[in-house]
Amino acid sequence: MNGGRVQPELDTSKCLPCLIVATGPFTTITLNQDDELNVTLEEVNRHTYDRVRLCRTTMDVDVGLGPLPALLTYTAAWVLPPVKGMTPLKALDVVNQALFELFLGGVRFDSASPEDVGEGFAYHTGYFMAFGGEVGGDSGFNFARLKALQSADVSTFDSICLVKPRSFTVDEINRALDIGRPISKLLPELNPTVVLDGLTALRSRRTTSSLIFLWAACETLLNRLWSDHVVPKGSTVANRQGFVKGRAWTAAHKAEVLFQLGVLNESLYGKVGQVRKARNDVAHEGAVPTMPVCLMAADVFFCLLSLSVPATYRDPIAEAGAPFGKPVRRQGKAEPMAWRHMPAVPGNERWGDAEYARFPEREWVELPTDVRQALGRPKEQG
């Protein structure tokens, strides 16, 4: 037992200890379309699905770790080789870099976070097993779900993800990397984790986190545009380089100069100002930003990103940013894929007349008339 985890005894001549990063939303990475998961509701309810397939690796991905690749698994978890210097934080940086490249290529994942990192083993057979959380011995939802799915010890609340999951083939993943990786390499100063954290928070409607992260990414791109369009001018003028590279130039100043130079158009310049003010209100006044201003921050980010790369790369960026352009509103009723009974508790119809432990001080009482009126409730008819 180690920090609440049981580490199995394994023959290390046939396996390697690795760090594993689980991802969300739940996705399968298949060899081809014939390799797709086909799990029934009965298999979910009885835990008889093919759990071994969920322990399989699907492809190698070069993530800049020298001769050893990372392994992208059937469940879209990443298995990192035990190279020198590989730590949980390094694993997060490596995986979020790859996820950012995939995002730019049209394959979206949420940002990987520390609780998504855990320990496990990769076997010479092409399979792997996750067995412990890395951070404080605890696992976040994605890693805990991965462990439970692999051992067929998962609740049906979680295993329902196996029914018609989102899926990408090896060819689709490679195609996305071929599109996204060249764009990412053009902007080494842009932190992929910051960008993905901001977009993931936006999808979760965590507006404060979203705005802070997205504005940080926007400032990075404003600095890049400043370096590309302002700093090179007048390079022979004495003392100018020190002046334009000085710390006195705030994001507001840089946006103004870029606007005057025609790098930012009037619409984008106005949005930059609104997002910057909203972020300052959060930082200095504790304001809670609205969804519209966070969506505007995402729009500003993608616009600045497009301006920071050659025109040939702008179509993929526009496609990646399109889902964040406006709120998604459902039309009509959602069609359920499966139903689950609500468990009985005292008070609902399924409980009936069965006995239960009563706590009178916690039971509802009739509201006084003045309270009912304050709530807009009608008076009882005498």
Side-chain angles (χ1 to χ4, degrees):
M1 182 76 72
N2 179 19
R5 297 168 292 175
V6 177
Q7 181 169 330
E9 295 183 4
L10 297 168
D11 182 354
T12 54
S13 67
K14 296 182 180 179
C15 65
L16 284 175
C18 298
L19 288 178
I20 298 171
V21 183
T23 60
F26 182 77
T27 304
T28 59
I29 308 298
T30 63
L31 296 171
N32 48 53
Q33 292 184 348
D34 294 334
D35 190 31
E36 289 185 0
L37 203 58
N38 186 22
V39 173
T40 66
L41 285 175
E42 182 178 1
E43 290 174 317
V44 166
N45 290 329
R46 297 187 177 186
H47 293 180
T48 56
Y49 57 84
D50 182 6
R51 71 164 193 84
V52 177
R53 181 183 287 195
L54 306 183
C55 302
R56 197 194 76 198
T57 62
T58 298
M59 62 184 295
D60 298 348
V61 179
D62 181 5
V63 291
L65 297 177
L68 293 178
L71 306 178
L72 184 55
T73 72
Y74 192 84
T75 54
W78 294 78
V79 179
L80 282 303
V83 297
K84 184 178 181 180
M86 180 56 66
T87 65
L89 288 179
K90 174 67 174 178
L92 279 180
D93 287 343
V94 168
V95 169
N96 276 329
Q97 176 66 48
L99 295 182
F100 182 55
E101 293 166 359
L102 286 171
F103 170 73
L104 293 175
V107 176
R108 187 197 66 79
F109 284 91
D110 292 337
S111 175
S113 58
E115 60 267 25
D116 294 326
V117 184
E119 300 166 337
F121 285 89
Y123 297 89
H124 71 290
T125 55
Y127 288 78
F128 81 105
M129 194 72 184
F131 70 81
E134 176 62 27
V135 182
D138 297 323
S139 302
F141 172 74
N142 289 329
F143 197 84
R145 179 178 61 186
L146 172 63
K147 291 190 296 182
L149 287 173
Q150 286 190 320
S151 61
D153 188 24
V154 63
S155 77
T156 52
F157 278 109
D158 295 330
S159 57
I160 192 66
C161 69
L162 298 175
V163 178
K164 297 181 180 179
R166 188 179 76 147
S167 185
F168 297 98
T169 65
V170 169
D171 287 344
E172 289 172 326
I173 293 296
N174 282 327
R175 191 178 306 118
L177 288 172
D178 288 343
I179 294 172
R181 183 160 289 175
I183 301 173
S184 179
K185 286 184 176 180
L186 291 171
L187 300 164
E189 63 271 71
L190 189 60
N191 188 319
T193 299
V194 170
V195 177
L196 293 178
D197 279 351
L199 296 176
T200 300
L202 178 59
R203 286 180 53 82
S204 302
R205 296 182 176 271
R206 292 181 283 116
T207 57
T208 299
S209 297
S210 175
L211 182 61
I212 289 173
F213 284 121
L214 287 174
W215 176 248
C218 290
E219 278 202 281
T220 298
L221 294 174
L222 284 172
N223 291 337
R224 173 59 181 265
L225 292 171
W226 181 265
S227 297
D228 288 346
H229 297 277
V230 177
V231 172
K233 293 180 178 294
S235 57
T236 60
V237 178
N239 301 320
R240 183 180 184 277
Q241 290 296 300
F243 174 65
V244 295
K245 293 180 180 179
R247 294 179 177 270
W249 296 92
T250 65
H253 295 147
K254 291 179 179 180
E256 172 64 28
V257 174
L258 291 169
F259 171 59
Q260 292 183 18
L261 290 174
V263 177
L264 307 184
N265 61 31
E266 187 171 335
S267 174
L268 179 55
Y269 176 58
K271 291 177 181 178
V272 168
Q274 292 181 64
V275 173
R276 179 183 58 80
K277 182 181 183 305
R279 180 269 175 193
N280 288 343
D281 289 344
V282 171
H284 304 302
E285 300 179 13
V288 178
T290 63
M291 274 298 292
V293 79
C294 292
L295 289 167
M296 183 183 295
D299 182 39
V300 168
F301 167 75
F302 287 110
C303 289
L304 295 176
L305 184 61
S306 293
L307 293 175
S308 303
V309 299
T312 53
Y313 295 111
R314 291 175 184 172
D315 285 346
I317 292 173
E319 292 177 10
F324 299 93
K326 59 183 178 180
V328 177
R329 293 183 173 87
R330 283 183 178 172
Q331 300 295 327
K333 295 182 179 180
E335 291 296 331
M337 183 174 62
W339 292 94
R340 183 187 178 104
H341 284 298
M342 179 184 292
V345 295
N348 70 14
E349 294 179 357
R350 293 177 60 81
W351 187 266
D353 297 327
E355 293 294 324
Y356 62 93
R358 295 190 60 185
F359 298 89
E361 68 275 14
R362 302 307 310 151
E363 295 178 0
W364 292 0
V365 297
E366 185 68 31
L367 293 176
T369 301
D370 59 335
V371 176
R372 292 173 64 87
Q373 291 175 345
L375 293 174
R377 304 288 180 84
K379 295 181 180 180
E380 289 188 6
Q381 299 297 321

